[in-house]
Amino acid sequence: QVQLVESGGGLVQAGGSLRLSCAASGRTFSAYAMGWFRQAPGKERECVASISWNGGVTYYADSVKGRFTISRENAKNTVYLQMNSLKPEDTAVYYCARRAVSGIATSGNEYAYWGQGTQVTVSS
């Protein structure tokens, strides 16, 4: 049974920073790609960032490129999303997800496990 638990969300002013963490259960975390998604009210879920099993390949949505950084610590079964220069349009529930293979993907349908989500609110 794989469990993903996000933390680090909260309320921040525009221009501020937050770091999201996602702790995963299971001994094979290092074998699989991970992703961060977000969903704002009334909007579709979008892939914000994805990282391959060893961190060698990453993907960022155009809307966050240059501001967000995805990383992972396989020894701690944890993936991070560092979010800088936050904007009000970044407000959403952020979800961590794990694939069943090692390569990255941007479609939510390609992820097998999901966390419960953490709220990020950016005030103007």
Side-chain angles (χ1 to χ4, degrees), residues 17-20 36 60 64 67-71 80-84:
S17 297
L18 283 174
R19 187 173 85 152
L20 305 183
W36 284 99
Y60 296 96
V64 306
R67 300 188 298 121
F68 290 12
T69 302
I70 189 171
S71 61
Y80 305 98
L81 185 68
Q82 177 68 43
M83 306 186 294
N84 299 328

Side-chain angles (χ1 to χ4, degrees), residues 72-102:
R72 63 190 299 161
E73 272 191 87
N74 286 342
K76 294 185 177 182
N77 279 18
T78 302
V79 63
Y80 305 98
L81 185 68
Q82 177 68 43
M83 306 186 294
N84 299 328
S85 302
L86 282 161
K87 305 175 181 180
E89 51 264 43
D90 293 319
T91 295
V93 178
Y94 284 70
Y95 298 91
C96 168
R98 201 206 84 176
R99 296 201 72 201
V101 295
S102 60

Side-chain angles (χ1 to χ4, degrees), residues 7-48:
S7 60
L11 173 64
V12 64
Q13 287 188 332
S17 297
L18 283 174
R19 187 173 85 152
L20 305 183
S21 299
C22 172
S25 64
R27 292 180 291 179
T28 55
F29 172 83
S30 61
Y32 304 113
M34 300 292 296
W36 284 99
F37 289 74
R38 68 185 180 187
Q39 188 164 22
K43 294 191 176 181
E44 291 188 357
R45 181 179 61 192
E46 66 167 332
C47 181
V48 174

